[in-house]
């Protein structure tokens, strides 16, 4: 079997075009224009690139974004102070704290301070809890982007065996909840999982997010499995590859997301969607 390549870049472009129209319509109807506050803390180079891309996407569709940068040594209390200010600032609709944060800062404590109504990342315990209870509100961007891709490609997933490899708060765990909500029989594997290959062999759908270049091999997977690759790894030669070994998987899977151009553009699209959703849900009358 030769895989169908899921073109995230193309789908993202289409959705972003629709979102741009939505914002134009808001302008014409004199509704508020969504405004996103982005907090960049420390000097993580990848974070700087991700934020740059998010800001470009905002600008392209008409969302206003403002970045607040803080030094690596900033105290937790000062970040929280800033978040509290942004929470009460009526002109700000969404707040994003780019992760990872410097080691000394308690990430969960910081994320909990963001008002759940401004939580564009869907990481607030209330929003995660609502998803867990089958009543989603603001949803984490990468898992939401993946669900959108599966829908756009009309891939039926109800009742299938889904395996998530990687149990992070950003991707793995909310992904598990999304797939469970969609009716998959869901397994989550992580660094302590014994006999990972047994789970891989049995999976109809695999979402992999572990940050290990070309880890998942075609010979391990079920014929016709759907492979969703969240990894972004830079090789020594500068090439960007995913967590799945595209060349070996391509011959065996039914669908595969490429890296780059698969899941990545959808994460940004979900952020834009969430920012507009907040305006519609909490600010429009
Ligand atoms: N770092 C890596 N992915 C993400 C994400 O989706 N949101 C935030 N805030 N930080 C990230």
């Amino acid at each position: 079997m030769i895989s169908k390549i899921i073109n995230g870049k193309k789908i993202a472009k289409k959705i972003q075009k629709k979102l741009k129209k939505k914002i134009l319509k808001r302008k014409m109807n004199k509704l508020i224009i969504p405004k996103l506050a982005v907090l960049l803390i420390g000097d993580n180079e990848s974070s700087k690139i991700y934020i740059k891309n998010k800001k470009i996407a905002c600008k392209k569709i008409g969302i206003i974004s403002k970045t607040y940068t803080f030094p690596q040594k900033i105290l937790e209390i000062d970040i929280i102070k800033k978040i509290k200010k942004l929470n009460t600032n009526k002109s700000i609709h969404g707040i994003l704290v780019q992760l990872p944060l410097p080691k000394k800062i308690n990430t969960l404590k910081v994320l909990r301070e963001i008002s759940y109504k401004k939580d564009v990342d869907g990481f607030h315990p209330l929003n995660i809890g609502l998803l867990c209870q089958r009543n989603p509100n603001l949803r984490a961007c990468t898992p939401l982007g993946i669900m959108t891709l599966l829908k756009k490609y009309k891939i039926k997933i109800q009742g299938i065996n889904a395996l998530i490899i990687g149990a992070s708060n950003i991707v793995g765990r909310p992904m598990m909840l999304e797939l469970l909500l969609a009716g998959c029989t869901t397994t989550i594997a992580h660094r302590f999982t014994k006999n990972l290959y047994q789970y891989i062999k049995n999976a109809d759908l695999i979402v992999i997010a572990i940050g290990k270049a070309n880890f998942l091999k075609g010979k391990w997977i079920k014929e016709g499995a759907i492979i969703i690759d969240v990894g972004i790894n830079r090789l020594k030669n500068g090439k960007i590859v995913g967590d799945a070994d595209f060349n070996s998987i391509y011959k065996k899977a039914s669908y595969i997301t490429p890296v780059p151009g698969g899941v990545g553009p959808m994460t940004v699209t979900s952020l834009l969607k969430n920012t507009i959703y907040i305006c519609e849900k909490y600010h429009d009358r």
Side-chain angles (χ1 to χ4, degrees), residues 4 9 17 19 22 46 48 117 145 147-148 158 169 198 202 210-211 247 257 260:
K4 258 197 178 164
K9 200 173 163 185
K17 219 172 153 183
L19 296 177
K22 215 173 192 181
S46 301
K48 286 181 194 167
K117 293 182 176 177
M147 297 314 287
T148 307
Q158 194 172 52
N169 285 344
Q198 282 302 323
N202 194 38
I210 56 172
N247 291 333
T257 58

Short mmCIF file of all heavy atoms in Angstrom, two decimals, residues 4 9 17 19 22 46 48 117 145 147-148 158 169 198 202 210-211 247 257 260:
data_model
loop_
_atom_site.label_atom_id
_atom_site.label_comp_id
_atom_site.label_asym_id
_atom_site.label_seq_id
_atom_site.Cartn_x
_atom_site.Cartn_y
_atom_site.Cartn_z
N LYS A 4 -1.59 7.90 1.36
CA LYS A 4 -2.04 9.23 0.95
C LYS A 4 -1.34 10.20 1.86
O LYS A 4 -1.32 9.99 3.08
CB LYS A 4 -3.55 9.33 1.19
CG LYS A 4 -4.36 9.19 -0.05
CD LYS A 4 -5.76 9.71 0.22
CE LYS A 4 -6.56 9.60 -1.03
NZ LYS A 4 -7.97 9.72 -0.82
N LYS A 9 -0.50 21.78 5.07
CA LYS A 9 -0.23 23.14 4.61
C LYS A 9 -1.41 23.66 3.78
O LYS A 9 -1.87 24.79 3.96
CB LYS A 9 1.05 23.12 3.77
CG LYS A 9 1.70 24.45 3.64
CD LYS A 9 3.05 24.31 2.96
CE LYS A 9 3.51 25.67 2.45
NZ LYS A 9 4.74 25.56 1.69
N LYS A 17 -7.95 31.21 5.12
CA LYS A 17 -8.66 32.09 4.18
C LYS A 17 -10.08 32.37 4.71
O LYS A 17 -10.55 33.50 4.69
CB LYS A 17 -8.73 31.39 2.82
CG LYS A 17 -8.52 32.33 1.65
CD LYS A 17 -8.40 31.52 0.38
CE LYS A 17 -8.84 32.33 -0.82
NZ LYS A 17 -8.79 31.53 -2.04
N LEU A 19 -11.03 32.13 7.84
CA LEU A 19 -10.93 32.91 9.08
C LEU A 19 -10.71 34.39 8.76
O LEU A 19 -11.25 35.27 9.42
CB LEU A 19 -9.81 32.37 9.97
CG LEU A 19 -10.00 30.93 10.50
CD1 LEU A 19 -8.79 30.50 11.31
CD2 LEU A 19 -11.26 30.82 11.36
N LYS A 22 -13.92 35.86 7.90
CA LYS A 22 -14.71 36.02 9.12
C LYS A 22 -14.34 37.32 9.83
O LYS A 22 -15.21 38.05 10.32
CB LYS A 22 -14.40 34.83 10.04
CG LYS A 22 -15.56 34.36 10.85
CD LYS A 22 -15.21 33.09 11.58
CE LYS A 22 -16.47 32.49 12.13
NZ LYS A 22 -16.26 31.29 12.88
N SER A 46 13.96 27.98 19.55
CA SER A 46 12.79 27.41 18.85
C SER A 46 11.54 28.21 19.16
O SER A 46 10.72 28.49 18.27
CB SER A 46 12.55 25.95 19.26
OG SER A 46 13.68 25.19 18.96
N LYS A 48 11.29 31.32 19.83
CA LYS A 48 11.31 32.58 19.07
C LYS A 48 10.79 32.35 17.66
O LYS A 48 10.03 33.16 17.12
CB LYS A 48 12.73 33.15 19.03
CG LYS A 48 13.18 33.74 20.35
CD LYS A 48 14.58 34.31 20.26
CE LYS A 48 15.14 34.59 21.63
NZ LYS A 48 16.57 34.85 21.64
N LYS A 117 -11.10 31.91 30.14
CA LYS A 117 -11.80 32.52 29.01
C LYS A 117 -10.84 33.15 28.00
O LYS A 117 -11.24 33.60 26.94
CB LYS A 117 -12.76 33.61 29.51
CG LYS A 117 -13.90 33.08 30.33
CD LYS A 117 -14.81 34.23 30.75
CE LYS A 117 -16.02 33.71 31.50
NZ LYS A 117 -16.86 34.83 31.97
N GLY A 145 -5.85 20.64 15.82
CA GLY A 145 -5.43 20.68 14.42
C GLY A 145 -5.44 19.29 13.79
O GLY A 145 -5.86 19.11 12.64
N MET A 147 -7.34 16.72 14.77
CA MET A 147 -8.74 16.31 14.61
C MET A 147 -9.35 16.95 13.35
O MET A 147 -10.11 16.32 12.63
CB MET A 147 -9.57 16.67 15.85
CG MET A 147 -9.14 15.99 17.13
SD MET A 147 -8.83 14.23 17.02
CE MET A 147 -10.48 13.59 16.88
N THR A 148 -8.97 18.21 13.12
CA THR A 148 -9.47 18.91 11.92
C THR A 148 -8.96 18.21 10.65
O THR A 148 -9.73 18.00 9.70
CB THR A 148 -9.01 20.39 11.93
OG1 THR A 148 -9.38 20.96 13.18
CG2 THR A 148 -9.64 21.18 10.81
N GLN A 158 -14.10 6.31 14.47
CA GLN A 158 -14.89 5.75 15.57
C GLN A 158 -14.62 4.25 15.70
O GLN A 158 -14.66 3.52 14.71
CB GLN A 158 -16.37 5.99 15.28
CG GLN A 158 -17.24 5.76 16.50
CD GLN A 158 -18.67 6.17 16.25
OE1 GLN A 158 -19.28 5.76 15.26
NE2 GLN A 158 -19.22 6.97 17.14
N ASN A 169 1.85 17.14 28.34
CA ASN A 169 0.65 17.96 28.59
C ASN A 169 0.23 18.73 27.35
O ASN A 169 -0.93 19.07 27.19
CB ASN A 169 0.93 18.96 29.71
CG ASN A 169 0.95 18.29 31.08
OD1 ASN A 169 0.49 17.16 31.24
ND2 ASN A 169 1.52 18.97 32.05
N GLN A 198 4.29 -4.14 20.56
CA GLN A 198 3.00 -4.83 20.58
C GLN A 198 1.86 -3.84 20.35
O GLN A 198 0.91 -4.10 19.63
CB GLN A 198 2.78 -5.54 21.93
CG GLN A 198 3.54 -6.83 22.08
CD GLN A 198 3.19 -7.85 20.99
OE1 GLN A 198 2.04 -7.95 20.58
NE2 GLN A 198 4.20 -8.55 20.50
N ASN A 202 -0.68 -3.26 16.84
CA ASN A 202 -2.13 -3.38 17.00
C ASN A 202 -2.88 -2.09 16.66
O ASN A 202 -4.10 -2.07 16.65
CB ASN A 202 -2.39 -3.77 18.47
CG ASN A 202 -3.80 -4.26 18.68
OD1 ASN A 202 -4.35 -4.95 17.83
ND2 ASN A 202 -4.41 -3.87 19.78
N ILE A 210 7.31 12.54 20.22
CA ILE A 210 8.35 12.22 21.21
C ILE A 210 9.66 12.99 20.98
O ILE A 210 10.55 12.95 21.82
CB ILE A 210 8.64 10.70 21.26
CG1 ILE A 210 9.04 10.16 19.88
CG2 ILE A 210 7.45 9.94 21.82
CD1 ILE A 210 9.54 8.72 19.91
N GLY A 211 9.77 13.64 19.85
CA GLY A 211 11.00 14.41 19.58
C GLY A 211 12.21 13.54 19.30
O GLY A 211 13.33 13.88 19.68
N ASN A 247 10.06 7.43 4.79
CA ASN A 247 10.32 6.57 3.62
C ASN A 247 9.85 5.15 3.82
O ASN A 247 9.31 4.53 2.91
CB ASN A 247 11.81 6.60 3.27
CG ASN A 247 12.20 7.96 2.73
OD1 ASN A 247 11.36 8.69 2.17
ND2 ASN A 247 13.44 8.35 2.95
N THR A 257 1.13 12.05 7.67
CA THR A 257 1.36 13.50 7.62
C THR A 257 2.85 13.73 7.41
O THR A 257 3.67 13.16 8.11
CB THR A 257 0.94 14.19 8.94
OG1 THR A 257 1.68 13.61 10.02
CG2 THR A 257 -0.54 14.03 9.21
N PRO A 260 8.25 18.80 7.05
CA PRO A 260 7.23 19.78 7.43
C PRO A 260 5.98 19.71 6.53
O PRO A 260 5.98 18.93 5.57
CB PRO A 260 7.97 21.10 7.25
CG PRO A 260 9.03 20.83 6.23
CD PRO A 260 9.41 19.39 6.36
#
